[in-house]
Amino acid sequence: MRKLVIAIVPLFLLLGNCSKENKVDQVKTDEGMTLLQKGDFQEAVKSFAAIDSVNPGSPQGIYGKAIAFEREGLILEAMHSLTQMMQKHNKSAEGYRLLSELQSRDRRHDQAIFDAGKYASLVGENDSSAALMAQALIAGGQFTKAGEVIEKRLKGNVSQPDFLLTAAQYYFLTGKIERARELQAQGEKALADHPADYLRAGSLQALMGETDSAGFFFRMAAARPKADFYSKADAADSLISIKYFHKAQELLSQLEKANSKSHRIFALHTNMMRRMGKDFNAHLIYGDAVSANPNSPTILSNFGRSMLTIYHITGAEAHMTNALSMAENENYSSEDQAFIMLTHLEALWGRREVGPSMAALQPLLESMPTEFRALDLAAGFTWKYAPPEESRDIVSTFERLSDGNPYRLTRVGDFYAGIDSLKTAKEYYDEALKLAPYFHPAIKGLVGLLKKVNQPVRLIDYLSTLPEFISLYPDFAEERIATLRKLKRFPEALEFCEKYIQAGPGDLERYRIGITVAEQAGNRTRAEEIVNDCLQKNGIDPEAYVIAADFKLRHEGIADADESIKKALSLDSACVNAYLVKAKQDTLAGREQEAMKLYEKVLQLDQFSAEAYNNLGWLLLKTGGDPRVAANHASAAISYEPLNGENYITLGWSRYKQNRFDLARGDFERGLKIAPENPVLNFYAGLNYIKDNKPDKAKVHLKNALAGDLPKTLRKEAEENLKKL
């Protein structure tokens, strides 16, 4: 949480230095701070750099740049500036405070705790120092120590909302709900005009599954009189985190008018695309950040990790190498460089098929032998690739350092779950939850184990035992709904969906899920009510009208969707999903050529739209177009959405049309691994097996198709072919 206020105050007072030179420097400091409030990062940095040119080594110039880097989202640069300053001015309380916050955000937990202690030693025991230390301890999983800090401070006169809300978070995670609610109420009552406090209040609401309440506080943060460019950017980021995309976009539009080239703007758009599941779009947007600032270690490092999300391993390595080169050229500490490399290797290990090499890991283990993140990475890698004795030593240290720390215990549980030692994994998750009963990652670990052993009934039983404030958290709520659907317990799923929607009506995905479940439950009336509720509560969001149009296409006349489509496009003339629904409407009406033109228009607006590529390819096949072109479109769809079984239908059928039944078989089988119960996929796979001289497999898949909700036009053909077999 960014607690820092960009305010025009005598910075020399904050830094503990009142020399005459520093008072003169205050003029440039004020100028820089004013520019930052407006979001003019480049000019602000110039003002702070001017201080250093006149008064070399001035803490005001260095600290000002650190604030500017932090606000712009350039964390590595901010930490480097602060480290430089602290080497000469080690009595700066605010320097330690900001450095601790940055260390926590970069997951350097031990360092964050150390710097929080330095801050406390300079300012004494108060709400601010207790909040900072507790936040660092909670982030690092040291809940017992966090509790000691909080309980000691609560014996005194407490008034700051930052501390009260941090204490509420601690008590919530450790299962003391009544105490958490009490402190939460006190913290919210103490809120004044500081945007960061509203953001912390909202984050706590989100943690408790109260998504709409969280959204309220996030919007309030942006509306505070003290909210400047960066405070509003923080609020937009928080809204994105709860999938209140339209509200976030409203803030983003305001910010773009002030400074469309700010790194924070690129980062916010990128984050939004990622939350929407559009990794290629996110990567393209963040590429503009690299173009605008090609020498930033933070941006190059981020872009390298972004390349991994689109399977560009070579590019990821190149950008990480560049980030490290930039850091070395700027005299970043060896510790900073080690953490940059560690973050990159973690991202590589996330792509298990291209994990890091031991040659890259070994220097990290030597330079940071007790860094838990490095041991976490090494444990997984050595278990898979190294000799048993070497892996046992690392895993033993890894386990030993997890004792009494819910975060670390959960990571050890994740390690054992990853190597299919499920009993041991459960023991570690259980141990984490003894210490922190509502620690989300540990709960998520147990859910993952039950999924892994394919025990949906036990999974539902477990999820049903969770308190409502936990069960409504998105990860657990959507897992519960998906599992109930798998068990075909649709009325129960619908009842829970309604609670889930009520908790976060600004997240339109909840309405989409609810409508689908209502339809599966055979309750079209309730599905229509959910559509209307979505429109009532999100009447200025074009995506709400897209949901309505899509529903009308399925249940009413084709023309009935017109009004909703027009409304969506009137709110946003570039609404991609509105054009996609319009193209579906044209297809259903037999206007294939018009539909194809719309899909081409969508690809002009969104070059990574897998749905547009796939449907364009299918319509080409339907209208007698070149199956090779259709195959290219389907391949593009798969490259952008490899886990969507629908895309493999088009690719397989395009091979079928080319009489390449062997290739088609591979395409259909890849799709069936992803969506084994898809009736349409089974239908076309069955037809291909007939041509591929595999009648037994053809029977299986045609029967699977008929067992599902196969469209009437295909059902008759499936029955006829099955009789022939």
Side-chain angles (χ1 to χ4, degrees), residues 30 148 150 272 312 331 401 451 463 534 633:
D30 291 349
E148 292 170 0
I150 287 167
M272 188 181 294
H312 197 324
N331 297 316
L401 290 176
K451 287 179 66 179
L463 290 171
C534 178
H633 287 324

Side-chain angles (χ1 to χ4, degrees), residues 661-663 665 669 687-695:
F661 308 118
D662 53 338
L663 293 177
R665 182 198 333 134
E669 288 177 353
L687 294 188
N688 187 73
Y689 278 126
I690 293 172
K691 291 288 188 179
D692 200 30
N693 295 316
K694 292 180 171 52

Side-chain angles (χ1 to χ4, degrees), residues 225-271:
K226 289 184 179 180
D228 58 20
F229 178 90
Y230 291 109
S231 298
K232 291 178 181 178
D234 293 341
D237 209 15
S238 297
L239 287 165
I240 290 168
S241 73
I242 60 170
K243 296 187 178 181
Y244 274 34
F245 298 130
H246 186 68
K247 296 295 183 185
Q249 185 57 57
E250 288 178 337
L251 276 177
L252 258 171
S253 298
Q254 294 177 29
L255 296 171
E256 284 178 312
K257 293 175 182 176
N259 183 3
S260 63
K261 297 300 181 182
S262 167
H263 170 253
R264 289 297 301 279
I265 297 298
F266 294 127
L268 286 167
H269 278 298
T270 299
N271 190 20

Side-chain angles (χ1 to χ4, degrees), residues 134-135 137-139 141-152 154 162-177 179-181 183-184 200 204 207-208 406 435-439:
Q135 289 159 14
L137 289 166
I138 291 170
Q142 297 191 35
F143 284 33
T144 301
K145 290 183 178 179
E148 292 170 0
V149 170
I150 287 167
E151 288 169 8
K152 181 180 179 181
L154 285 172
D162 191 28
F163 173 78
L164 290 164
L165 293 167
T166 300
Q169 178 191 3
Y170 162 76
Y171 284 116
F172 169 76
L173 291 171
T174 54
K176 301 175 181 69
I177 302 305
R179 184 62 169 142
R181 294 291 191 193
L183 289 165
Q184 180 186 29
R200 185 168 295 284
L204 182 58
L207 187 68
M208 294 178 168
L435 297 166
Y438 300 134
F439 186 55

Side-chain angles (χ1 to χ4, degrees), residues 76-77 80 295-298 300 320-334 336-338 340:
L76 296 176
E77 288 88 332
H80 176 55
N295 299 318
S296 163
T298 298
L300 289 170
M320 183 49 58
T321 300
N322 289 342
L324 285 167
S325 296
M326 291 294 175
E328 187 176 3
N329 292 340
E330 293 294 326
N331 297 316
Y332 280 50
S333 68
S334 58
D336 282 344
Q337 293 183 52
I340 293 171

